Amino acid sequence: MIRNVGEKQGVENVAVQNIVKKLLLKHKTRDPFMIAEAENIIVQEGDLPPITKGMAVKILRRKYIVINHTLHSYEKKYVCAHELGHHLLHDVQNHRFILENTLNPNGKYEREANEFAACLLIDPTIISDDDTIESIAVKANVPVELVKHYKRCI
């Protein structure tokens, strides 16, 4: 298992990229659900308040990702990647992935989790020189705002 590099402080952008690279080499997939399972993180869907897309929780040394069951499948994938980022980058107690704050750089941890999700979900081989942010989002099946975080990965 890859350790929490950031512990209680944030991690540098290079560290986010390196963690994603190690995960891709180790698991040979960009699927956050498969990676979470391989890293012994339990992913469950739950009946969460509409404003809460998901959360990363650690209970008695067990790691969980809880995803709002009302989300569309592409949103669930993104939320899983974002919360996986919290587990692998930060000392997680309870991180809530709130709709209003999700892709805003309100805090270091949220920004890092978004960068992690972007680096994990957006395969650089699908991007061409003439792509726009919108076309990359469509190709990668991710929110447009996430693509803006991707540029920090390259």
Side-chain angles (χ1 to χ4, degrees):
M1 178 185 283
I2 297 173
R3 293 280 144 226
N4 292 341
V5 174
E7 288 303 316
K8 293 188 181 185
Q9 69 276 7
V11 294
E12 295 295 321
N13 181 258
V14 173
V16 171
Q17 293 172 38
N18 288 339
I19 289 170
V20 171
K21 285 178 186 175
K22 287 177 185 177
L23 284 172
L24 293 173
L25 286 171
K26 180 178 179 183
H27 300 295
K28 307 210 182 323
T29 182
R30 290 184 177 276
D31 184 328
F33 295 98
M34 293 177 70
I35 294 170
E37 182 180 354
E39 293 289 323
N40 296 313
I41 299 170
I42 299 166
V43 180
Q44 297 178 330
E45 291 187 21
D47 187 17
L48 299 174
I51 196 166
T52 305
K53 287 188 172 188
M55 64 178 128
V57 183
K58 188 175 181 183
I59 303 171
L60 300 175
R61 295 187 297 202
R62 292 288 295 159
K63 295 178 180 182
Y64 297 87
I65 294 172
V66 182
I67 301 172
N68 192 321
H69 72 94
T70 64
L71 299 177
H72 295 288
S73 61
Y74 88 94
E75 290 177 298
K76 290 177 183 177
K77 185 176 177 182
Y78 163 60
V79 171
C80 185
H82 176 95
E83 300 303 343
L84 181 63
H86 281 304
H87 275 303
L88 298 177
L89 301 172
H90 308 127
D91 182 19
V92 170
Q93 292 306 317
N94 289 306
H95 284 283
R96 293 180 190 261
F97 184 51
I98 311 272
L99 178 63
E100 296 171 345
N101 301 321
T102 301
L103 294 170
N104 295 329
N106 289 343
K108 190 177 204 173
Y109 292 160
E110 290 305 307
R111 185 180 64 251
E112 289 170 351
N114 286 329
E115 289 170 14
F116 176 90
C119 292
L120 180 64
L121 296 176
I122 301 172
D123 185 345
T125 63
I126 67 166
I127 300 171
S128 60
D129 291 339
D130 59 341
D131 273 328
T132 64
I133 289 175
E134 292 78 13
S135 66
I136 295 169
V138 170
K139 285 180 177 181
N141 199 25
V142 298
V144 170
E145 288 297 313
L146 188 63
V147 180
K148 294 176 183 175
H149 289 280
Y150 179 75
K151 66 183 177 186
R152 295 188 62 159
C153 299
I154 52 178

